[in-house]
């Protein structure tokens, strides 16, 4: 795989580093949305209220995209597919190259990281994101009477996760793969390891770190781990023949792989028609997975 | 047999004396401000203060959320207005620098006001990258200056950073070129005010003229430096808008990611700039009675540039559609069909009719020489070019790759207000300029008095015969 960050991977010890990736099995996913709620709670995602949701200013880091296919006038024939969507942590991230102040950069463990303190809020990254997963703080959502939700009262603030920054208005945010958990897990592994050269590269055991969405997923559709470890569960899933990445043709090289959904349908029931794809907003057809 | 090419009409009409030129151009500066001027300047200043500065204050206080933008459409009026104003500036540079290098002497009577327009337009443009950012107060991080933040520096890969360099270079060079051109005229005004015993005005213009003496050495240096600056400005005509277009062209957004953008944007910029020059000059030549300096030939020449650039832009629109089809790129095709027939089709067709169809009327000499018609068409050009940027930015963003995240964008009153406010800023600056600075380059126009040396075949009365004798 060629990435913008090849030099990272070619460095000595590069394969001893972690490469965080996620696999989502669409066969297992029921679209329940528990992951969305878990993510909100874990990452202090602000609640913004109906008015802002209506103007497409939701702050969710994770969402379930829905697509309809079939005869839209006949409700019985409509089939629905859905896809959990969050930051794909692309190896060729379009958002990273356009940020003028390097507020969003790639980490050595393959994350597309976001430094809130550095962000000036040009929103260029969000425009250039093919997955539309970046969220902008249009207002100050905490301690603001206009957003009288949990972040505006002392009791509600007890819900906030102390390991995660509450973002200021004017900055961009997005899924971080629960970086606070990753850092915690990495440090614990290093602390527990012996003080040797190998210890410096100590990795947490496969499955020891779970992202909030993964932890909450009732069907275990989300698997997270290290791609540099060929034996990790996620590596095996990445090698699965069902694995695909979203919008492959944009060449963003995502760190999230989806495992395509297998459906037992007759050929004439499947109406996957790219040409119809989205002439009207109601006519969304299924995104072809492969 | 001796054959002579058809002689061109004179560039200045009804003008015989050097002193007449000085008098005509210095008149608005020396006279007391008239009521009309006071009225319009006050209105512009109020619009500037309330709409531009007031609403920007509100924006900074509340957050970008007071605009109508959303997760999908991250840029709307802000960047549209930015590109619109930068584009307008281009005609000034083209007229002052490129036409100077090509020895198009007809430019001499319009270059000053066109350059002024450039500078004020770039000032208006510069507001938007500043306020569109969520944290305007941190924009200093764009500057690659030594700092205490370790290795964290500006990202030289980002076209927004190129923009900063392009625009600041453009503003600086244009400002220096404009100011330098005014130095001899400042000295003229200084001398006139001194003769009239108005010491304060003489002092101010004297300071502005940097002690210009009009000596041969002064002139020699002046000509050299203005040629050098013209040489520096010329690539800027092409580079600035090319770089602005790369904000879009280097992205992965379908409808933005197009290699045609740099030439297409430059043509559009010159087109919109000439539209704005027409609008301003038609008003100015009438109010200040400068018809002898900004003649019908000037207005016609500009109309011809508008036809040429408008048609180029039209060709670019069609090329985009062809390539969208020819490329076979599914997303690209969809974006262009959506542009012409989707939710913002009205904006697309306003753009198309204003930019491609309306300038074609300039093929008719009757329309070219009718100032009312030209004024109306020039307004259409301005409207069309604003919509071009709106269409490019909004229609590409609102329906891109992931249909689940398609959204529409509706601007709020704050966005309209700030846009209106920039017109207040622009016209305040322009009115102040037209009152306190020489709107026509006096000494350069004087070089045209006896040029072309032979009068045209069309008799224009006795005045031309006087020139004959010369």
């Amino acid at each position: 795989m060629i990435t913008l960050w090849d030099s990272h991977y070619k460095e000595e010890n590069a394969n001893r580093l972690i490469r965080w990736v996620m696999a989502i099995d669409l066969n297992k996913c029921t679209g329940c949305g528990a992951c969305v709620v878990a993510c909100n709670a874990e990452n202090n995602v602000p609640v913004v209220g109906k008015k802002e949701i209506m103007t497409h200013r939701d702050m969710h880091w994770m969402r379930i995209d829905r697509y309809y296919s079939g005869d839209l006038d006949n409700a019985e024939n409509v089939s629905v597919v859905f896809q959990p969507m969050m930051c794909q942590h692309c190896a060729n991230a379009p958002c990273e190259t356009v940020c003028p102040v390097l507020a969003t950069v790639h980490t050595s463990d393959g994350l597309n990281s976001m430094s809130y303190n550095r962000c000036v809020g040009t929103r260029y990254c969000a425009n250039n994101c093919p997955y539309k997963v970046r969220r902008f703080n249009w207002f100050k959502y905490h301690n603001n009477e206009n957003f009288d939700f949990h972040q505006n009262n002392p009791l509600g603030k007890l819900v906030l996760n102390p390991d995660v920054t509450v973002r200021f208005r004017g900055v961009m945010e997005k899924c971080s793969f629960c970086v606070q958990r990753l850092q915690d897990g990495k440090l614990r592994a290093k602390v527990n390891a012996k003080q040797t050269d190998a210890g410096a590269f100590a990795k947490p055991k496969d499955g020891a770190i779970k992202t909030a969405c993964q932890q909450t997923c009732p069907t275990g559709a989300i698997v997270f781990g290290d791609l540099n470890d060929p034996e990790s569960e996620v590596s095996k899933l990445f090698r699965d023949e069902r694995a695909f990445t979203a919008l492959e043709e944009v060449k963003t090289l995502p760190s999230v792989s989806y495992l395509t959904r297998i459906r037992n349908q007759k050929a004439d029931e499947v109406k996957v028609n790219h040409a119809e794809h989205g002439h009207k907003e109601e006519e969304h057809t299924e995104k072809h997975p492969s | 047999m001796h054959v002579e090419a058809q002689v061109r009409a004179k560039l200045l009409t009804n003008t015989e004396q050097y002193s007449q030129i000085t008098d005509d151009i210095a008149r608005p500066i020396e006279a007391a401000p008239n009521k009309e001027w006071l009225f319009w300047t006050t209105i512009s200043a109020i619009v500037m203060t309330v709409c531009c500065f007031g609403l920007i204050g509100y924006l900074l206080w509340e957050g970008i959320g007071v605009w109508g933008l959303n997760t999908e459409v991250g840029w709307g009026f802000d960047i549209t207005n930015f590109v619109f104003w930068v584009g307008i500036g281009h005609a000034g540079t083209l007229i002052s620098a490129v036409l100077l290098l090509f020895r198009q002497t007809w430019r001499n009577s319009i270059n000053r006001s066109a350059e002024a327009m450039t500078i004020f337009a770039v000032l208006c443009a510069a507001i938007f990258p500043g306020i569109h950012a969520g944290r305007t107060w941190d924009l200093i991080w764009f500057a690659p200056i030594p700092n205490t933040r370790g290795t964290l520096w500006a990202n030289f890969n980002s076209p927004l950073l190129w923009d900063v360099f392009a625009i600041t270079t453009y503003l600086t060079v244009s400002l220096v070129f404009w100011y330098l051109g005014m130095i001899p005229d400042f000295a003229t005004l200084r001398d006139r005010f001194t003769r009239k015993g108005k010491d304060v005005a003489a002092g101010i213009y004297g300071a502005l003229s940097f002690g210009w003496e009009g000596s041969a050495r002064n002139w020699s240096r002046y000509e050299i430096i203005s040629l050098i600056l013209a040489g520096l400005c010329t690539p800027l005509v092409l580079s600035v808008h090319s770089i602005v277009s790369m904000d879009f062209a280097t992205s992965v957004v379908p409808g933005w990611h197009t290699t045609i953008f740099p030439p297409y944007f430059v043509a559009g910029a010159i087109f919109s700039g000439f539209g704005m020059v027409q609008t301003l000059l038609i008003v100015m030549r009438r109010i200040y009675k400068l018809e002898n300096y900004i003649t019908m030939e000037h207005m016609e020449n500009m109309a011809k540039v508008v036809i040429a650039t408008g048609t180029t832009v039209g060709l670019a629109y069609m090329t985009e559609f062809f390539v969208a089809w020819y490329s076979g790129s599914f997303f690209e095709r969809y974006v262009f069909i959506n542009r012409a027939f989707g939710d913002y089709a009205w904006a697309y067709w306003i753009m198309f009719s204003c930019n491609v169809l309306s300038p074609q009327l300039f093929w008719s000499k009757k329309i070219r020489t009718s100032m009312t018609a030209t004024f109306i068409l020039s307004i259409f050009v301005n409207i069309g070019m604003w919509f071009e940027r709106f269409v490019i930015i909004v229609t590409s963003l609102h329906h891109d790759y992931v249909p689940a995240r398609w959204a529409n964008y509706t601007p709020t009153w704050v966005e309209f207000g700030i846009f209106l406010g920039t017109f207040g800023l622009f016209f305040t600056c322009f009115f102040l300029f037209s009152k306190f600075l020489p709107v026509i380059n006096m000494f350069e126009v004087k070089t045209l008095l006896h040029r072309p040396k032979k009068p045209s075949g069309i008799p224009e009365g006795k005045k031309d015969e006087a020139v004959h004798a010369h």
Side-chain angles (χ1 to χ4, degrees), chain A residues 21 31 35 59-60 72-73 81 84 98 108 113 115 132 137 176-177 185 192 205 225 227 246 258 265 275:
Chain A
V21 292
C35 49
M59 297 301 289
H60 302 162
L72 292 177
D73 295 325
V81 287
V98 297
S108 56
S113 72
S115 341
K132 290 286 173 277
N137 285 268
S176 65
F177 270 173
N192 293 337
K205 273 185 194 145
L227 188 65
Y258 294 91
Q265 279 178 305

Side-chain angles (χ1 to χ4, degrees), chain A residues 3 136 207:
Chain A
T3 77
F136 187 66

Side-chain angles (χ1 to χ4, degrees), chain B residues 337-398:
Chain B
I337 291 169
N338 179 52
R339 222 174 240 187
F341 305 105
D343 292 338
Y344 292 96
W346 55 274
Y348 181 82
W349 293 109
I350 289 177
M351 168 196 95
F352 197 87
S353 44
C354 288
N355 288 352
V356 186
L357 305 180
S358 75
Q360 303 307 326
L361 294 174
F362 279 134
W363 287 103
S364 147
K365 191 172 175 91
K366 232 181 205 163
I367 289 172
R368 280 207 303 271
T369 50
S370 155
M371 286 303 101
T372 320
T374 309
F375 185 78
I376 293 168
L377 286 178
S378 74
I379 297 288
F380 277 146
V381 169
N382 288 320
I383 293 173
M385 283 309 292
W386 187 86
F387 270 102
E388 182 194 294
R389 282 63 177 253
F390 180 82
V391 164
I392 290 173
I393 292 170
V394 175
T395 64
S396 306
L397 288 175
H398 90 122

Side-chain angles (χ1 to χ4, degrees), chain B residues 103-124:
Chain B
R103 301 184 185 226
Q104 295 293 310
T105 44
W106 61 275
R107 74 177 257 292
N108 286 5
S109 22
I110 56 169
N111 67 341
R112 174 73 46 78
S113 38
E115 279 169 43
M117 182 195 76
T118 297
I119 287 155
F120 305 144
V122 176
L123 281 182
C124 290

Side-chain angles (χ1 to χ4, degrees), chain A residues 168-187:
Chain A
F168 190 65
R169 82 166 158 89
V171 303
M172 194 58 77
E173 59 181 69
K174 60 160 194 78
C175 163
S176 65
F177 270 173
C178 291
V179 67
Q180 64 282 1
R181 296 184 176 205
L182 308 185
Q183 291 302 90
D184 178 67
K186 271 168 75 175
L187 286 176

Side-chain angles (χ1 to χ4, degrees), chain A residues 57 98 117 123-124 128 169, chain B residues 60 67 74 135 158 247 252:
Chain A
R57 287 179 181 171
V98 297
N117 284 346
R123 302 186 295 290
Y124 200 173
N128 210 22
R169 82 166 158 89
Chain B
L60 293 181
W67 287 350
R135 302 203 295 169
S158 170
D247 284 347
V252 300

Side-chain angles (χ1 to χ4, degrees), chain A:
Chain A
M1 187 152 70
I2 300 165
T3 77
L4 277 181
W5 319 109
D6 267 350
S7 57
H8 282 290
Y9 302 122
K10 278 178 189 152
E11 272 170 26
E12 196 189 353
N13 299 324
N15 57 352
R16 300 167 78 183
L17 295 173
I18 298 175
R19 169 92 202 276
W20 295 118
V21 292
M22 182 182 275
I24 300 175
D25 190 338
L26 296 176
N27 249 6
K28 289 182 180 169
C29 176
T30 62
C32 66
C35 49
V36 178
V37 178
C39 174
N40 276 21
E42 169 73 15
N43 291 303
N44 299 339
V45 173
V47 175
V48 292
K50 185 177 175 183
K51 183 171 165 278
E52 295 293 293
I53 296 287
M54 295 296 280
T55 53
H56 282 245
R57 287 179 181 171
D58 51 312
M59 297 301 289
H60 302 162
W61 285 7
M62 191 166 189
R63 61 175 202 258
I64 312 286
D65 281 351
R66 287 172 301 180
Y67 299 98
Y68 305 95
S69 62
D71 180 7
L72 292 177
D73 295 325
N74 182 356
E76 307 227 325
N77 277 343
V78 174
S79 61
V80 184
V81 287
F82 45 82
Q83 181 181 33
M85 181 58 78
M86 79 300 284
C87 177
Q88 304 285 304
H89 293 267
C90 313
N92 267 341
C95 54
E96 289 170 13
T97 46
V98 297
C99 175
V101 292
L102 290 172
T104 186
V105 289
H106 228 65
T107 66
S108 56
D109 44 3
L111 298 181
N112 167 249
S113 72
M114 185 68 221
S115 341
Y116 308 121
N117 284 346
R118 178 69 173 173
C119 178
V120 297
T122 67
R123 302 186 295 290
Y124 200 173
C125 52
N127 287 341
N128 210 22
C129 173
Y131 310 97
K132 290 286 173 277
V133 293
R134 291 182 153 261
R135 298 289 177 266
F136 187 66
N137 285 268
W138 303 99
F139 292 105
K140 187 174 104 172
Y141 294 119
H142 53 93
N143 298 336
N144 186 345
E145 288 299 315
N146 295 328
F147 298 94
D148 200 11
F149 306 106
H150 71 289
Q151 292 191 3
N152 194 40
N153 66 70
L155 192 62
K157 282 182 196 166
L158 293 179
V159 173
L160 295 178
N161 182 351
D163 292 336
V164 178
T165 320
V166 171
R167 280 78 61 181
F168 190 65
R169 82 166 158 89
V171 303
M172 194 58 77
E173 59 181 69
K174 60 160 194 78
C175 163
S176 65
F177 270 173
C178 291
V179 67
Q180 64 282 1
R181 296 184 176 205
L182 308 185
Q183 291 302 90
D184 178 67
K186 271 168 75 175
L187 286 176
R188 274 175 209 281
K190 280 182 192 170
V191 167
N192 293 337
K194 284 177 187 162
Q195 299 248 331
T196 58
D197 179 46
F201 289 95
K203 290 177 178 181
K205 273 185 194 145
D206 185 37
I209 301 175
K210 281 185 157 60
T211 63
C213 49
Q214 175 190 17
Q215 182 185 15
T216 313
C217 182
T219 60
I222 301 174
V223 177
F224 184 81
D226 177 15
L227 188 65
N228 282 352
D229 171 8
E231 294 310 310
S232 68
E233 198 190 343
V234 77
S235 287
K236 290 173 188 161
L237 290 175
F238 262 59
R239 293 193 294 267
D240 192 291
E241 58 178 352
R242 287 194 295 134
F244 73 94
T245 55
L247 295 175
E248 215 161 348
E249 58 269 52
V250 190
K251 192 77 177 161
T252 51
L253 305 177
S255 297
V256 177
S257 266
Y258 294 91
L259 302 185
T260 196
R261 181 172 194 154
I262 310 290
R263 278 167 299 174
N264 193 10
Q265 279 178 305
K266 285 178 193 160
D268 60 335
E269 284 172 1
V270 186
K271 284 192 177 175
V272 180
N273 187 347
H274 265 195
E276 273 179 23
H277 184 60
H279 276 219
K280 279 185 195 164
E281 206 153 349
E282 298 80 31
E283 284 182 8
H284 298 168
T285 51
E286 182 191 359
K287 254 175 56 59
H288 203 285
S290 52

Side-chain angles (χ1 to χ4, degrees), chain B residues 87 90-91 94 234-245 260-273 309 312-313 385 388-389:
Chain B
H90 274 60
L94 186 90
T234 304
L236 288 180
V237 175
L238 303 175
S239 71
V240 175
H241 231 60
S242 297
I243 288 173
V244 169
S245 79
I260 198 178
F261 264 21
Y264 159 27
F265 267 55
V266 170
I270 292 165
F271 177 62
S272 69
T309 47
T312 313
V313 167
M385 283 309 292
E388 182 194 294
R389 282 63 177 253

